[in-house]
Amino acid sequence: MLKRLSYTAAIFAAATAPAFAHLNPEEHGSMMAGLSHPLFGADHILAMVAVGIWASQIGGRALWAVPAAFVGTMAIGFALAVAGIDLPFVEPAILASVIGLGLLVAAAVRLPVAASAAVVAAFALFHGHAHGGELGTAGALQFGIGFVIATAGLHLAGLGLGLALNRVGPVVARLVGVATVFGGAAIAFG
């Protein structure tokens, strides 16, 4: 099952176009810009909420470890970009994260917590790098704090949604994963 999911995610990643959900550099630099930015891009909302839902499907330590791995690694990606260290395929990786996380939720994949944290961390590196790459150094700290807080909030919303959906029945959460995959595909091909 994981092999099929990996192939599917790779195919979608190879066919993606930039998300274009990111702001212009002159609009960055404040904490409010950082707080609001993740709330205005469909790619951000879909990926961040999917992280929380997937963590709720796994349960246990994943409830905090998976979102924490995302937020921590996203901050590292941000710092790398601000320092001028480039990463390849940033926009395709972000779109692949939306589709990949949607697939993980749709299939209710249960990996060990460390492996789940590593998966989201790989995606998070690119999300953070995109933010830092657009920003430059002006206002980096304030913006970074804001988008870390907003991202953590979206993860919490996903956790709450996932826990509520798990009570209703696991099929509903899986359908949200399917909708996330379609949302990612719409961004990629729209």
Side-chain angles (χ1 to χ4, degrees), residues 30 44 109:
S30 70
H44 299 297
V109 174

Side-chain angles (χ1 to χ4, degrees), residues 27-117:
E27 295 172 336
H28 282 277
S30 70
M31 184 179 282
M32 286 309 295
L35 282 167
S36 65
H37 180 70
L39 305 176
F40 290 104
D43 59 335
H44 299 297
I45 294 170
L46 291 170
M48 303 316 146
V49 171
V51 166
I53 294 171
W54 189 39
S56 76
Q57 288 175 317
I58 299 165
R61 287 188 15 229
L63 292 172
W64 64 267
V66 170
F70 192 102
V71 171
T73 308
M74 183 183 69
I76 292 168
F78 179 80
L80 290 173
V82 169
I85 299 169
D86 289 330
L87 289 177
F89 311 114
V90 172
E91 289 293 336
I94 289 170
L95 286 171
S97 75
V98 176
I99 294 166
L101 289 163
L103 289 169
L104 291 167
V105 171
V109 174
R110 291 188 185 268
L111 298 175
V113 174
S116 301

Side-chain angles (χ1 to χ4, degrees), residues 5-19 88-100 103 123 126 181 184-185 188-189:
L5 287 173
S6 298
Y7 287 140
T8 303
I11 289 167
F12 277 125
T16 59
F89 311 114
V90 172
E91 289 293 336
I94 289 170
L95 286 171
S97 75
V98 176
I99 294 166
L103 289 169
F123 290 141
F126 293 98
V181 170
F189 301 113

